[in-house]
Amino acid sequence: MLSDEALLPGLHLVATPIGAARDITLRALDVLRLADVIAAEDTRNTRRLLDLHSVPLRDRPLIAYHDHNGEKVRPKLLKWLSEGRSIAYASDAGTPLVADPGYALARDAIAQGLAVHSAPGPSAVLAGLLVSGLPTDRFLFAGFAPPTEAAREKWLREIAETPATLIFFESPKRLLRMLRSCEAILGNREAAVCRELTKKFETIRRGPLLDLIEQFDGAAPKGEIVLVIDRGRETVSDADRDAALRSALATQSLKDAVRDVSVALNLPRRDVYQAALRMRET
């Protein structure tokens, strides 16, 4: 049952569905119905959400607030907040401030001593973690990786030793490149590619990174992607790696030996390959 209580003044951060429209909470609908002003990352999506759930806009302002107009619009919103108004800020999909332009608005509101409230709800980060089958006790959401290979691999090295499950957002067009970079830097860790979470064509593919690379090679998916990767496991010494390589090279080609050792020891294939080359030279 929806509430008729007056909404407290301040900025209300409203989580919105990432797919299934019925995932919105009753409290989120209360906030959207009672707020003096609605600000939205995408006003078209927010307007459709209001219509779908029979939330009347009436004569209230519906203001676009996104990366391209934030500097211009933010002072107006902060002024309204300072006058005691209630403003609902709705993300395009999911939880505001997570890969979303609302952070600067919330930061500035807090800096000015204005109230900031949360109406929690859907989150692609947590939805992906839940269905990944990977440890949930500690995780790091790292957002979108840099688009270029060199920057992406440098960025992955910075978080490679984090003792936590890693969660990324990625575009379908860059997924295969991201998987290859992750395998090269992180090793052949267990992972899950979560596509179109909570939507009609939701698919989850799980397995070692090398298996996922093979699955998506030449078959780019469509839709929004959450990539979840297991934390690093026990460190393998150079001596153990080299011993495994010597044994494999005695009966296999360089390519096959590198592949099998990297999989067996959960090591980055590039590192194993370089070690094999050094071994050959000596």
Side-chain angles (χ1 to χ4, degrees):
M1 184 174 180
L2 297 179
S3 171
D4 289 323
E5 293 183 12
L7 200 61
L8 291 172
L11 177 64
H12 295 258
L13 304 171
V14 182
T16 58
I18 60 175
R22 291 176 63 85
D23 284 345
I24 197 165
T25 68
L26 293 177
R27 183 169 175 223
L29 292 176
D30 284 340
V31 172
L32 291 171
R33 185 168 54 87
L34 298 172
D36 298 321
V37 177
I38 299 177
E41 183 182 4
D42 188 319
T43 55
R44 295 166 301 179
N45 287 346
T46 300
R47 187 62 186 260
R48 282 195 292 270
L49 187 67
L50 296 177
D51 291 343
L52 185 62
H53 291 285
S54 302
V55 176
L57 184 60
R58 302 186 298 277
D59 57 350
R60 297 177 297 164
L62 175 59
I63 306 293
Y65 179 84
H66 46 68
D67 285 326
H68 304 294
N69 73 352
E71 292 293 331
K72 180 180 179 180
V73 173
R74 194 156 56 249
K76 178 191 293 187
L77 297 177
L78 291 169
K79 181 176 183 297
W80 283 341
L81 289 171
S82 69
E83 294 170 351
R85 298 198 195 191
S86 58
I87 298 179
Y89 172 70
S91 181
D92 185 16
T95 299
L97 281 62
V98 179
D100 171 274
Y103 167 69
L105 177 60
R107 176 201 61 199
D108 288 0
I110 291 170
Q112 293 185 24
L114 302 169
V116 175
H117 311 280
S118 173
S123 165
V125 174
L126 294 178
L129 179 64
L130 291 177
V131 299
S132 69
L134 297 173
T136 60
D137 59 318
R138 183 183 298 177
F139 61 91
L140 168 69
F141 171 62
F144 285 94
T148 63
E149 182 178 4
R152 182 167 58 247
E153 294 192 355
K154 178 178 182 294
W155 180 76
L156 285 169
R157 287 188 190 95
E158 294 173 352
I159 61 176
E161 301 304 319
T162 304
T165 300
L166 305 176
I167 306 174
F168 308 94
F169 287 165
E170 193 49 272
S171 73
K173 292 182 179 179
R174 295 206 309 254
L175 176 63
L176 183 59
R177 282 173 279 173
M178 176 63 170
L179 291 172
R180 285 173 171 160
S181 291
C182 288
E183 192 280 326
I185 303 304
L186 305 176
N188 191 33
R189 299 186 188 183
E190 290 292 322
V193 174
C194 310
R195 185 183 74 88
E196 294 289 85
L197 286 166
T198 79
K199 299 177 184 177
K200 180 179 180 180
F201 296 105
E202 172 183 295
T203 57
I204 316 296
R205 296 193 187 182
R206 306 176 184 87
L209 282 167
L210 283 173
D211 288 358
L212 293 172
I213 290 169
E214 184 177 349
Q215 290 181 47
F216 288 105
D217 191 2
K222 296 180 180 179
E224 298 176 341
I225 303 287
V226 177
L227 173 61
V228 189
I229 300 179
D230 200 0
R231 68 198 65 183
R233 298 303 178 182
E234 184 178 349
T235 301
V236 177
S237 69
D238 290 350
D240 288 344
R241 177 201 62 203
D242 291 350
L245 265 175
R246 288 191 191 94
S247 177
L249 286 168
T251 58
Q252 295 177 286
S253 67
L254 177 69
K255 178 180 179 181
D256 289 344
V258 168
R259 180 199 62 210
D260 289 353
V261 170
S262 65
V263 170
L265 300 182
N266 193 25
L267 293 172
R269 189 166 31 173
R270 182 177 302 174
D271 293 351
V272 177
Y273 178 71
Q274 293 298 326
L277 290 181
R278 290 193 296 271
M279 197 173 293
R280 272 194 165 185
E281 292 173 356
T282 58

